């Protein structure tokens, strides 16, 4: 009997911004897509939440935080808000000994330091590319081998068999 992936689902509790649990459905086929690319994982709100939880459990969530903040930053339309946000991002993630300092080279750090003086939507792009590459080569493969991801795959597989 062929399995019907579209009708099977796994309930996943995610946290809203005010930290109240929200019930959502995660379709089994979606978890399989996450293994195809980091892009697929980040495109899924459930994938993103699961990946973030994994990184937090490893105390290595600064890269995904930075990447997400850059995505939000690019949407800012107000120049004054962009200036303020750019300085906060620089202080939190870019400057040496920042609370959530990301792993970027000195040249990129200096470039961003100059960019923040007159910020544009793309002033963090180079660092964002570096961080994406680090996640793709390091964090993402670890995630795919993690107990968190494998438990989701197993649950999805059990539902598909039903």
């Amino acid at each position: 009997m062929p399995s019907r992936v579209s009708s099977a689902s796994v309930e996943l509790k995610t946290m809203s911004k005010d930290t109240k649990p929200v019930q959502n459905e995660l379709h089994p086929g979606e978890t399989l897509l996450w293994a195809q690319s980091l892009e697929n994982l980040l495109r899924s709100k459930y994938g993103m939440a699961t990946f973030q939880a994994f990184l937090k459990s490893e105390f290595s969530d600064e890269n995904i935080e930075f990447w997400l903040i850059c995505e939000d930053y690019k949407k800012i339309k107000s120049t004054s808000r962009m200036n303020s946000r750019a300085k906060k991002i620089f202080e939190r993630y870019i400057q040496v000994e920042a609370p959530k300092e990301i792993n970027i080279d000195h040249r990129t750090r200096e470039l961003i330091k100059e960019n923040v003086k007159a910020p544009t939507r793309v002033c963090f792009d180079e660092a964002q590319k570096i961080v994406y590459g680090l996640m793709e080569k390091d964090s993402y493969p670890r995630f795919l081998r993690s107990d968190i991801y494998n438990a989701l795959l197993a649950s999805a597989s059990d539902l598909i068999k039903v």
Side-chain angles (χ1 to χ4, degrees):
M1 179 168 143
S3 63
R4 291 184 11 194
V5 175
S6 60
S7 64
S9 64
V10 177
E11 284 190 31
L12 177 69
K13 286 186 181 180
T14 58
M15 301 303 277
S16 65
K17 289 185 181 187
D18 56 354
T19 66
K20 292 179 185 168
V22 178
Q23 290 291 328
N24 295 299
E25 286 189 358
L26 171 65
H27 298 279
E30 187 175 343
T31 57
L32 295 171
L33 287 175
W34 300 349
Q36 291 177 359
S37 70
L38 177 59
E39 186 178 339
N40 283 348
L41 176 67
L42 298 179
R43 201 179 293 139
S44 160
K45 76 176 182 178
Y46 307 112
M48 177 70 74
T50 307
F51 189 52
Q52 281 184 286
F54 165 73
L55 292 174
K56 282 183 184 191
S57 75
E58 290 199 328
F59 303 100
S60 63
D61 57 334
E62 67 281 347
N63 285 340
I64 192 68
E65 278 184 24
F66 174 74
W67 188 85
L68 288 168
I69 282 173
C70 287
E71 289 298 293
D72 285 343
Y73 174 80
K74 291 175 188 178
K75 298 172 189 169
I76 297 172
K77 294 187 180 6
S78 158
T79 304
S80 63
R81 192 160 172 247
M82 190 177 285
N83 286 331
S84 170
R85 184 69 60 86
K87 285 177 180 59
K88 287 179 183 174
I89 292 170
F90 181 81
E91 291 168 1
R92 184 164 177 86
Y93 297 97
I94 305 296
Q95 74 183 8
V96 176
E97 308 231 0
K100 293 275 196 160
E101 185 179 355
I102 57 170
N103 186 10
I104 56 174
D105 59 90
H106 176 72
R107 183 194 63 75
T108 304
R109 194 176 312 279
E110 289 301 311
L111 174 67
I112 293 170
K113 187 175 182 178
E114 289 304 310
N115 288 345
V116 169
K117 292 177 183 174
T120 64
R121 280 195 179 84
V122 298
C123 71
F124 296 106
D125 280 5
E126 190 62 32
Q128 193 179 18
K129 286 177 195 167
I130 292 168
V131 163
Y132 187 92
L134 291 171
M135 289 191 299
E136 194 170 41
K137 289 180 178 92
D138 183 41
S139 308
Y140 175 64
R142 281 196 329 271
F143 169 74
L144 294 178
R145 294 187 303 269
S146 72
D147 291 342
I148 292 172
Y149 180 64
N150 285 300
L152 276 174
L153 276 181
S155 295
S157 176
D158 289 346
L159 284 173
I160 291 171
K161 291 176 188 172
V162 173

